[in-house]
Amino acid sequence: LYVRYAATETMPPAQVNGELKGVYFSGDTTTNGRSAVQFGRVGGPDEYDATAFFQVKQQDGSNFTGMHPFMNQLFMTKENSCHSLSASLTGTVYPNYNFDQQQITVVHGCTSHRSLVEHNRKIYMHWRRRFYVYDGQKTEYISAAVEPTLAGVNEGRLTQVVGGRFNDLNELWWSWPAVADTTSNTNLIRCNVEGEQPAWLNSAAQTVQWYVPTLVAGTEVFLTVGTTGRFLQQNSGTTFDGAAIVGICRPPWIAAEQWDEVKIWLEALVNFPRNASGGTLTLQYRIADHPNEMDAATFATLATYDTSQTTGESFGRVFIGDRAKWLQLQLTSSAVPYTVFWPWLVLATPTGMNY
């Protein structure tokens, strides 16, 4: 991308940008409106006509928030809606291009253009503590299993949620500011966001503004651009910019057979291998009587395990002895890599009570 800074040709500044069929687009501009999308000439991003813009669901009370090229369309988002744009440029003269704009949904939008990630012919996006996926025709809500985790996203800083694709590990990562934080320092790793899978979390003192995959000596590493402008490398180590990473494995919340019935949660059985280099794992749980109460519930420690043990079984069996309708477990370790085996088993007894 090159820009020729002639006053008559400069595109007004905007918050987000994208490209489709050689046309440069930018959106959310104070010049043409917060719902406006501007566009340049085919192959000439430095050329701009003052009439080369269009509105996306104008005057609906929300701003334009993101765009991402996807197959033969430009996927566009506002705060509370999603749209697609296709273009027919043959036989047209700039700025009179033929664009076809379609509304996809008004159920949700995207609250951070940096959360848009393409993977496996789908686009993932974050909207108000929820994740949705777009398949080229419709969107789908996919993060019910990790709602208590996403409740920790700072609602006042939704525009700071960022995402990226880690190709070597076939993972998608997102980072966000926690409720009490101002910078993105909690990571959610997707083997997890779709389906009934555990949420793999990393938490450390690093600040993430952007995810950049690259190769270092033939090995892919994940780099992030922090607020200081440095590139920080995160590969297979257990520290990030000098801070110890707290690794968390958090399976989805469970309610056994009847979600509205009180259970006595008796035991938990968690499998893990021995680790010759040592390290301590901590098994915790939290309970609630309604899903909406889970994010406010605090984790209590059930047991700690020394993974370097040379005798005994490679699993932890612990007594819970608490009652509630819902339960969630998590296994944590600081600065020590570890592996867990599935399934985790939880024994519960129904009480026949509901309230």
Side-chain angles (χ1 to χ4, degrees), residues 185-227:
N185 55 14
T186 301
N187 311 111
L188 173 68
I189 306 172
R190 177 197 174 265
C191 354
N192 56 359
V193 176
E194 275 192 277
E196 298 298 315
Q197 299 294 325
W200 296 93
L201 298 169
N202 285 335
S203 179
Q206 75 270 28
T207 297
V208 180
Q209 287 191 325
W210 201 263
Y211 279 127
V212 183
T214 188
L215 290 177
V216 176
T219 301
E220 185 179 30
V221 296
F222 228 0
L223 307 178
T224 69
V225 183
T227 53

mmCIF file of all heavy atoms in Angstrom, residues 185-227:
data_model
loop_
_atom_site.group_PDB
_atom_site.id
_atom_site.type_symbol
_atom_site.label_atom_id
_atom_site.label_comp_id
_atom_site.label_asym_id
_atom_site.label_seq_id
_atom_site.Cartn_x
_atom_site.Cartn_y
_atom_site.Cartn_z
ATOM 1 N N ASN A 185 -4.462 -8.694 28.598
ATOM 2 C CA ASN A 185 -3.440 -9.549 29.200
ATOM 3 C C ASN A 185 -3.977 -10.921 29.587
ATOM 4 O O ASN A 185 -3.328 -11.648 30.326
ATOM 5 C CB ASN A 185 -2.828 -8.865 30.430
ATOM 6 C CG ASN A 185 -3.884 -8.465 31.444
ATOM 7 O OD1 ASN A 185 -5.023 -8.909 31.374
ATOM 8 N ND2 ASN A 185 -3.498 -7.621 32.380
ATOM 9 N N THR A 186 -5.156 -11.299 29.097
ATOM 10 C CA THR A 186 -5.684 -12.640 29.304
ATOM 11 C C THR A 186 -5.901 -13.281 27.948
ATOM 12 O O THR A 186 -6.497 -12.659 27.064
ATOM 13 C CB THR A 186 -7.011 -12.607 30.093
ATOM 14 O OG1 THR A 186 -6.781 -11.992 31.362
ATOM 15 C CG2 THR A 186 -7.548 -14.017 30.310
ATOM 16 N N ASN A 187 -5.414 -14.498 27.760
ATOM 17 C CA ASN A 187 -5.495 -15.166 26.468
ATOM 18 C C ASN A 187 -6.435 -16.355 26.525
ATOM 19 O O ASN A 187 -6.373 -17.168 27.443
ATOM 20 C CB ASN A 187 -4.109 -15.674 26.031
ATOM 21 C CG ASN A 187 -3.039 -14.611 26.145
ATOM 22 O OD1 ASN A 187 -2.162 -14.703 26.982
ATOM 23 N ND2 ASN A 187 -3.134 -13.597 25.318
ATOM 24 N N LEU A 188 -7.288 -16.473 25.525
ATOM 25 C CA LEU A 188 -8.145 -17.633 25.349
ATOM 26 C C LEU A 188 -7.679 -18.372 24.109
ATOM 27 O O LEU A 188 -7.565 -17.781 23.032
ATOM 28 C CB LEU A 188 -9.603 -17.208 25.178
ATOM 29 C CG LEU A 188 -10.604 -18.310 24.827
ATOM 30 C CD1 LEU A 188 -10.777 -19.264 25.993
ATOM 31 C CD2 LEU A 188 -11.953 -17.702 24.439
ATOM 32 N N ILE A 189 -7.376 -19.659 24.253
ATOM 33 C CA ILE A 189 -6.861 -20.458 23.140
ATOM 34 C C ILE A 189 -7.957 -21.393 22.668
ATOM 35 O O ILE A 189 -8.541 -22.112 23.459
ATOM 36 C CB ILE A 189 -5.628 -21.264 23.573
ATOM 37 C CG1 ILE A 189 -4.574 -20.341 24.191
ATOM 38 C CG2 ILE A 189 -5.043 -22.031 22.401
ATOM 39 C CD1 ILE A 189 -3.409 -21.072 24.817
ATOM 40 N N ARG A 190 -8.245 -21.396 21.389
ATOM 41 C CA ARG A 190 -9.312 -22.217 20.873
ATOM 42 C C ARG A 190 -8.801 -23.559 20.392
ATOM 43 O O ARG A 190 -8.206 -23.695 19.354
ATOM 44 C CB ARG A 190 -10.039 -21.515 19.731
ATOM 45 C CG ARG A 190 -11.130 -22.384 19.111
ATOM 46 C CD ARG A 190 -11.529 -21.857 17.749
ATOM 47 N NE ARG A 190 -12.442 -22.777 17.131
ATOM 48 C CZ ARG A 190 -12.084 -23.714 16.282
ATOM 49 N NH1 ARG A 190 -10.823 -23.860 15.948
ATOM 50 N NH2 ARG A 190 -12.981 -24.513 15.756
ATOM 51 N N CYS A 191 -8.968 -24.565 21.297
ATOM 52 C CA CYS A 191 -9.414 -25.880 20.911
ATOM 53 C C CYS A 191 -10.776 -25.918 21.566
ATOM 54 O O CYS A 191 -11.318 -26.940 21.862
ATOM 55 C CB CYS A 191 -8.523 -26.991 21.474
ATOM 56 S SG CYS A 191 -7.049 -26.484 22.320
ATOM 57 N N ASN A 192 -11.349 -24.779 21.919
ATOM 58 C CA ASN A 192 -12.217 -24.502 23.032
ATOM 59 C C ASN A 192 -13.475 -23.733 22.719
ATOM 60 O O ASN A 192 -14.477 -23.951 23.358
ATOM 61 C CB ASN A 192 -11.440 -23.673 24.052
ATOM 62 C CG ASN A 192 -10.880 -22.438 23.454
ATOM 63 O OD1 ASN A 192 -11.059 -22.215 22.291
ATOM 64 N ND2 ASN A 192 -10.209 -21.616 24.204
ATOM 65 N N VAL A 193 -13.426 -22.776 21.807
ATOM 66 C CA VAL A 193 -14.552 -21.868 21.648
ATOM 67 C C VAL A 193 -15.748 -22.572 21.017
ATOM 68 O O VAL A 193 -16.883 -22.306 21.360
ATOM 69 C CB VAL A 193 -14.145 -20.641 20.801
ATOM 70 C CG1 VAL A 193 -15.328 -19.743 20.546
ATOM 71 C CG2 VAL A 193 -13.068 -19.871 21.530
ATOM 72 N N GLU A 194 -15.520 -23.485 20.101
ATOM 73 C CA GLU A 194 -16.619 -24.209 19.476
ATOM 74 C C GLU A 194 -16.838 -25.535 20.175
ATOM 75 O O GLU A 194 -15.915 -26.307 20.379
ATOM 76 C CB GLU A 194 -16.323 -24.471 18.001
ATOM 77 C CG GLU A 194 -16.705 -23.334 17.085
ATOM 78 C CD GLU A 194 -16.658 -23.739 15.635
ATOM 79 O OE1 GLU A 194 -15.567 -23.709 15.062
ATOM 80 O OE2 GLU A 194 -17.709 -24.094 15.088
ATOM 81 N N GLY A 195 -18.081 -25.821 20.501
ATOM 82 C CA GLY A 195 -18.405 -27.132 21.047
ATOM 83 C C GLY A 195 -18.077 -27.258 22.522
ATOM 84 O O GLY A 195 -17.598 -26.342 23.184
ATOM 85 N N GLU A 196 -18.312 -28.444 23.038
ATOM 86 C CA GLU A 196 -18.100 -28.705 24.464
ATOM 87 C C GLU A 196 -16.642 -29.069 24.711
ATOM 88 O O GLU A 196 -16.292 -30.212 24.971
ATOM 89 C CB GLU A 196 -19.021 -29.840 24.921
ATOM 90 C CG GLU A 196 -20.492 -29.515 24.773
ATOM 91 C CD GLU A 196 -20.893 -28.322 25.643
ATOM 92 O OE1 GLU A 196 -20.478 -28.293 26.813
ATOM 93 O OE2 GLU A 196 -21.597 -27.437 25.142
ATOM 94 N N GLN A 197 -15.789 -28.102 24.606
ATOM 95 C CA GLN A 197 -14.358 -28.292 24.778
ATOM 96 C C GLN A 197 -13.867 -27.418 25.922
ATOM 97 O O GLN A 197 -14.478 -26.405 26.250
ATOM 98 C CB GLN A 197 -13.606 -27.941 23.485
ATOM 99 C CG GLN A 197 -13.981 -28.800 22.288
ATOM 100 C CD GLN A 197 -13.557 -30.239 22.483
ATOM 101 O OE1 GLN A 197 -12.530 -30.514 23.084
ATOM 102 N NE2 GLN A 197 -14.361 -31.165 21.976
ATOM 103 N N PRO A 198 -12.742 -27.768 26.529
ATOM 104 C CA PRO A 198 -12.228 -26.937 27.628
ATOM 105 C C PRO A 198 -11.670 -25.615 27.134
ATOM 106 O O PRO A 198 -11.264 -25.481 25.983
ATOM 107 C CB PRO A 198 -11.111 -27.808 28.216
ATOM 108 C CG PRO A 198 -10.667 -28.660 27.083
ATOM 109 C CD PRO A 198 -11.908 -28.962 26.294
ATOM 110 N N ALA A 199 -11.693 -24.640 27.997
ATOM 111 C CA ALA A 199 -11.094 -23.348 27.694
ATOM 112 C C ALA A 199 -9.653 -23.351 28.189
ATOM 113 O O ALA A 199 -9.406 -23.504 29.383
ATOM 114 C CB ALA A 199 -11.885 -22.237 28.368
ATOM 115 N N TRP A 200 -8.723 -23.224 27.277
ATOM 116 C CA TRP A 200 -7.321 -23.121 27.658
ATOM 117 C C TRP A 200 -6.990 -21.644 27.789
ATOM 118 O O TRP A 200 -7.112 -20.871 26.846
ATOM 119 C CB TRP A 200 -6.428 -23.771 26.610
ATOM 120 C CG TRP A 200 -6.657 -25.244 26.493
ATOM 121 C CD1 TRP A 200 -7.500 -25.883 25.636
ATOM 122 C CD2 TRP A 200 -6.040 -26.268 27.285
ATOM 123 N NE1 TRP A 200 -7.452 -27.246 25.844
ATOM 124 C CE2 TRP A 200 -6.556 -27.517 26.840
ATOM 125 C CE3 TRP A 200 -5.113 -26.258 28.316
ATOM 126 C CZ2 TRP A 200 -6.167 -28.723 27.397
ATOM 127 C CZ3 TRP A 200 -4.725 -27.461 28.872
ATOM 128 C CH2 TRP A 200 -5.250 -28.676 28.411
ATOM 129 N N LEU A 201 -6.530 -21.264 28.968
ATOM 130 C CA LEU A 201 -6.281 -19.857 29.250
ATOM 131 C C LEU A 201 -4.835 -19.639 29.655
ATOM 132 O O LEU A 201 -4.224 -20.483 30.303
ATOM 133 C CB LEU A 201 -7.185 -19.361 30.381
ATOM 134 C CG LEU A 201 -8.694 -19.398 30.135
ATOM 135 C CD1 LEU A 201 -9.430 -19.124 31.426
ATOM 136 C CD2 LEU A 201 -9.063 -18.383 29.087
ATOM 137 N N ASN A 202 -4.296 -18.506 29.247
ATOM 138 C CA ASN A 202 -3.013 -18.036 29.750
ATOM 139 C C ASN A 202 -3.232 -16.666 30.360
ATOM 140 O O ASN A 202 -3.971 -15.847 29.812
ATOM 141 C CB ASN A 202 -1.961 -17.926 28.639
ATOM 142 C CG ASN A 202 -1.437 -19.285 28.215
ATOM 143 O OD1 ASN A 202 -1.474 -20.230 28.983
ATOM 144 N ND2 ASN A 202 -0.972 -19.381 26.991
ATOM 145 N N SER A 203 -2.608 -16.416 31.461
ATOM 146 C CA SER A 203 -2.732 -15.115 32.095
ATOM 147 C C SER A 203 -1.362 -14.679 32.584
ATOM 148 O O SER A 203 -0.684 -15.416 33.282
ATOM 149 C CB SER A 203 -3.712 -15.161 33.261
ATOM 150 O OG SER A 203 -3.806 -13.902 33.880
ATOM 151 N N ALA A 204 -0.939 -13.501 32.186
ATOM 152 C CA ALA A 204 0.360 -12.970 32.608
ATOM 153 C C ALA A 204 0.313 -11.457 32.515
ATOM 154 O O ALA A 204 -0.721 -10.876 32.195
ATOM 155 C CB ALA A 204 1.489 -13.543 31.760
ATOM 156 N N ALA A 205 1.429 -10.831 32.772
ATOM 157 C CA ALA A 205 1.461 -9.376 32.801
ATOM 158 C C ALA A 205 1.758 -8.765 31.439
ATOM 159 O O ALA A 205 2.028 -7.586 31.342
ATOM 160 C CB ALA A 205 2.510 -8.904 33.810
ATOM 161 N N GLN A 206 1.718 -9.559 30.362
ATOM 162 C CA GLN A 206 2.000 -9.012 29.048
ATOM 163 C C GLN A 206 0.818 -8.197 28.531
ATOM 164 O O GLN A 206 -0.315 -8.397 28.933
ATOM 165 C CB GLN A 206 2.335 -10.114 28.040
ATOM 166 C CG GLN A 206 1.126 -10.930 27.566
ATOM 167 C CD GLN A 206 0.873 -12.122 28.441
ATOM 168 O OE1 GLN A 206 1.192 -12.109 29.617
ATOM 169 N NE2 GLN A 206 0.281 -13.151 27.883
ATOM 170 N N THR A 207 1.121 -7.280 27.628
ATOM 171 C CA THR A 207 0.088 -6.476 26.981
ATOM 172 C C THR A 207 0.061 -6.838 25.507
ATOM 173 O O THR A 207 1.088 -6.851 24.840
ATOM 174 C CB THR A 207 0.389 -4.974 27.140
ATOM 175 O OG1 THR A 207 0.350 -4.654 28.526
ATOM 176 C CG2 THR A 207 -0.645 -4.151 26.395
ATOM 177 N N VAL A 208 -1.123 -7.140 24.992
ATOM 178 C CA VAL A 208 -1.265 -7.567 23.604
ATOM 179 C C VAL A 208 -2.108 -6.557 22.841
ATOM 180 O O VAL A 208 -3.234 -6.265 23.242
ATOM 181 C CB VAL A 208 -1.918 -8.967 23.523
ATOM 182 C CG1 VAL A 208 -2.049 -9.399 22.066
ATOM 183 C CG2 VAL A 208 -1.101 -9.978 24.306
ATOM 184 N N GLN A 209 -1.564 -6.008 21.780
ATOM 185 C CA GLN A 209 -2.328 -5.126 20.906
ATOM 186 C C GLN A 209 -2.604 -5.767 19.555
ATOM 187 O O GLN A 209 -3.541 -5.380 18.864
ATOM 188 C CB GLN A 209 -1.595 -3.801 20.702
ATOM 189 C CG GLN A 209 -1.628 -2.902 21.920
ATOM 190 C CD GLN A 209 -1.124 -1.515 21.607
ATOM 191 O OE1 GLN A 209 -0.214 -1.333 20.804
ATOM 192 N NE2 GLN A 209 -1.715 -0.517 22.231
ATOM 193 N N TRP A 210 -1.793 -6.747 19.169
ATOM 194 C CA TRP A 210 -1.947 -7.392 17.865
ATOM 195 C C TRP A 210 -1.223 -8.728 17.895
ATOM 196 O O TRP A 210 -0.201 -8.865 18.561
ATOM 197 C CB TRP A 210 -1.361 -6.510 16.757
ATOM 198 C CG TRP A 210 -1.900 -6.829 15.393
ATOM 199 C CD1 TRP A 210 -1.329 -7.623 14.443
ATOM 200 C CD2 TRP A 210 -3.115 -6.352 14.828
ATOM 201 N NE1 TRP A 210 -2.113 -7.669 13.333
ATOM 202 C CE2 TRP A 210 -3.229 -6.909 13.537
ATOM 203 C CE3 TRP A 210 -4.142 -5.523 15.289
ATOM 204 C CZ2 TRP A 210 -4.308 -6.644 12.702
ATOM 205 C CZ3 TRP A 210 -5.206 -5.267 14.457
ATOM 206 C CH2 TRP A 210 -5.275 -5.820 13.176
ATOM 207 N N TYR A 211 -1.739 -9.730 17.178
ATOM 208 C CA TYR A 211 -1.074 -11.024 17.048
ATOM 209 C C TYR A 211 -0.442 -11.131 15.666
ATOM 210 O O TYR A 211 -1.094 -10.873 14.658
ATOM 211 C CB TYR A 211 -2.071 -12.160 17.211
ATOM 212 C CG TYR A 211 -2.413 -12.516 18.641
ATOM 213 C CD1 TYR A 211 -3.733 -12.579 19.064
ATOM 214 C CD2 TYR A 211 -1.414 -12.804 19.560
ATOM 215 C CE1 TYR A 211 -4.053 -12.925 20.370
ATOM 216 C CE2 TYR A 211 -1.726 -13.143 20.868
ATOM 217 C CZ TYR A 211 -3.048 -13.204 21.261
ATOM 218 O OH TYR A 211 -3.344 -13.534 22.552
ATOM 219 N N VAL A 212 0.828 -11.540 15.626
ATOM 220 C CA VAL A 212 1.544 -11.659 14.356
ATOM 221 C C VAL A 212 2.271 -12.999 14.314
ATOM 222 O O VAL A 212 3.254 -13.194 15.032
ATOM 223 C CB VAL A 212 2.570 -10.520 14.171
ATOM 224 C CG1 VAL A 212 3.240 -10.641 12.804
ATOM 225 C CG2 VAL A 212 1.901 -9.165 14.332
ATOM 226 N N PRO A 213 1.819 -13.976 13.490
ATOM 227 C CA PRO A 213 2.568 -15.232 13.331
ATOM 228 C C PRO A 213 3.731 -15.028 12.370
ATOM 229 O O PRO A 213 3.595 -14.351 11.344
ATOM 230 C CB PRO A 213 1.532 -16.193 12.751
ATOM 231 C CG PRO A 213 0.575 -15.314 12.022
ATOM 232 C CD PRO A 213 0.558 -13.994 12.745
ATOM 233 N N THR A 214 4.897 -15.593 12.673
ATOM 234 C CA THR A 214 6.051 -15.456 11.800
ATOM 235 C C THR A 214 6.959 -16.663 11.991
ATOM 236 O O THR A 214 6.744 -17.494 12.878
ATOM 237 C CB THR A 214 6.815 -14.149 12.098
ATOM 238 O OG1 THR A 214 7.821 -13.958 11.094
ATOM 239 C CG2 THR A 214 7.484 -14.215 13.462
ATOM 240 N N LEU A 215 7.978 -16.782 11.158
ATOM 241 C CA LEU A 215 8.932 -17.879 11.254
ATOM 242 C C LEU A 215 10.254 -17.374 11.805
ATOM 243 O O LEU A 215 10.783 -16.359 11.363
ATOM 244 C CB LEU A 215 9.157 -18.519 9.884
ATOM 245 C CG LEU A 215 7.999 -19.324 9.294
ATOM 246 C CD1 LEU A 215 8.369 -19.828 7.901
ATOM 247 C CD2 LEU A 215 7.646 -20.497 10.189
ATOM 248 N N VAL A 216 10.781 -18.104 12.777
ATOM 249 C CA VAL A 216 12.102 -17.831 13.336
ATOM 250 C C VAL A 216 12.910 -19.115 13.233
ATOM 251 O O VAL A 216 12.563 -20.110 13.881
ATOM 252 C CB VAL A 216 12.022 -17.353 14.803
ATOM 253 C CG1 VAL A 216 13.422 -17.186 15.367
ATOM 254 C CG2 VAL A 216 11.233 -16.055 14.906
ATOM 255 N N ALA A 217 13.950 -19.122 12.406
ATOM 256 C CA ALA A 217 14.777 -20.311 12.189
ATOM 257 C C ALA A 217 13.929 -21.519 11.784
ATOM 258 O O ALA A 217 14.152 -22.640 12.224
ATOM 259 C CB ALA A 217 15.599 -20.626 13.433
ATOM 260 N N GLY A 218 12.925 -21.269 10.940
ATOM 261 C CA GLY A 218 12.095 -22.350 10.439
ATOM 262 C C GLY A 218 10.973 -22.784 11.347
ATOM 263 O O GLY A 218 10.197 -23.681 10.993
ATOM 264 N N THR A 219 10.852 -22.167 12.521
ATOM 265 C CA THR A 219 9.795 -22.510 13.465
ATOM 266 C C THR A 219 8.843 -21.343 13.612
ATOM 267 O O THR A 219 9.274 -20.195 13.788
ATOM 268 C CB THR A 219 10.387 -22.861 14.840
ATOM 269 O OG1 THR A 219 11.280 -23.969 14.702
ATOM 270 C CG2 THR A 219 9.280 -23.219 15.824
ATOM 271 N N GLU A 220 7.557 -21.642 13.530
ATOM 272 C CA GLU A 220 6.582 -20.574 13.694
ATOM 273 C C GLU A 220 6.492 -20.153 15.155
ATOM 274 O O GLU A 220 6.409 -20.996 16.054
ATOM 275 C CB GLU A 220 5.192 -21.008 13.213
ATOM 276 C CG GLU A 220 4.194 -19.853 13.270
ATOM 277 C CD GLU A 220 2.810 -20.230 12.791
ATOM 278 O OE1 GLU A 220 2.422 -21.410 12.949
ATOM 279 O OE2 GLU A 220 2.107 -19.354 12.277
ATOM 280 N N VAL A 221 6.531 -18.863 15.380
ATOM 281 C CA VAL A 221 6.341 -18.308 16.714
ATOM 282 C C VAL A 221 5.254 -17.249 16.630
ATOM 283 O O VAL A 221 4.981 -16.698 15.561
ATOM 284 C CB VAL A 221 7.639 -17.697 17.294
ATOM 285 C CG1 VAL A 221 8.694 -18.750 17.487
ATOM 286 C CG2 VAL A 221 8.142 -16.580 16.393
ATOM 287 N N PHE A 222 4.627 -17.000 17.737
ATOM 288 C CA PHE A 222 3.587 -15.989 17.827
ATOM 289 C C PHE A 222 4.186 -14.737 18.423
ATOM 290 O O PHE A 222 4.717 -14.759 19.526
ATOM 291 C CB PHE A 222 2.472 -16.501 18.718
ATOM 292 C CG PHE A 222 1.102 -16.324 18.120
ATOM 293 C CD1 PHE A 222 0.917 -15.749 16.874
ATOM 294 C CD2 PHE A 222 -0.012 -16.730 18.825
ATOM 295 C CE1 PHE A 222 -0.340 -15.602 16.334
ATOM 296 C CE2 PHE A 222 -1.287 -16.586 18.297
ATOM 297 C CZ PHE A 222 -1.441 -16.023 17.056
ATOM 298 N N LEU A 223 4.110 -13.653 17.705
ATOM 299 C CA LEU A 223 4.596 -12.380 18.201
ATOM 300 C C LEU A 223 3.412 -11.490 18.517
ATOM 301 O O LEU A 223 2.355 -11.583 17.901
ATOM 302 C CB LEU A 223 5.484 -11.699 17.162
ATOM 303 C CG LEU A 223 6.648 -12.511 16.593
ATOM 304 C CD1 LEU A 223 7.383 -11.700 15.553
ATOM 305 C CD2 LEU A 223 7.591 -12.923 17.706
ATOM 306 N N THR A 224 3.587 -10.605 19.460
ATOM 307 C CA THR A 224 2.563 -9.613 19.749
ATOM 308 C C THR A 224 3.213 -8.250 19.792
ATOM 309 O O THR A 224 4.379 -8.116 20.158
ATOM 310 C CB THR A 224 1.868 -9.871 21.094
ATOM 311 O OG1 THR A 224 2.799 -9.620 22.146
ATOM 312 C CG2 THR A 224 1.350 -11.286 21.187
ATOM 313 N N VAL A 225 2.455 -7.259 19.396
ATOM 314 C CA VAL A 225 2.920 -5.883 19.473
ATOM 315 C C VAL A 225 2.340 -5.281 20.738
ATOM 316 O O VAL A 225 1.128 -5.162 20.881
ATOM 317 C CB VAL A 225 2.475 -5.083 18.246
ATOM 318 C CG1 VAL A 225 3.024 -3.674 18.308
ATOM 319 C CG2 VAL A 225 2.930 -5.786 16.971
ATOM 320 N N GLY A 226 3.190 -4.930 21.670
ATOM 321 C CA GLY A 226 2.731 -4.360 22.932
ATOM 322 C C GLY A 226 2.624 -2.857 22.842
ATOM 323 O O GLY A 226 2.942 -2.238 21.828
ATOM 324 N N THR A 227 2.184 -2.235 23.926
ATOM 325 C CA THR A 227 1.995 -0.794 23.921
ATOM 326 C C THR A 227 3.314 -0.047 23.777
ATOM 327 O O THR A 227 3.333 1.111 23.388
ATOM 328 C CB THR A 227 1.306 -0.349 25.220
ATOM 329 O OG1 THR A 227 2.050 -0.854 26.333
ATOM 330 C CG2 THR A 227 -0.107 -0.887 25.284
#
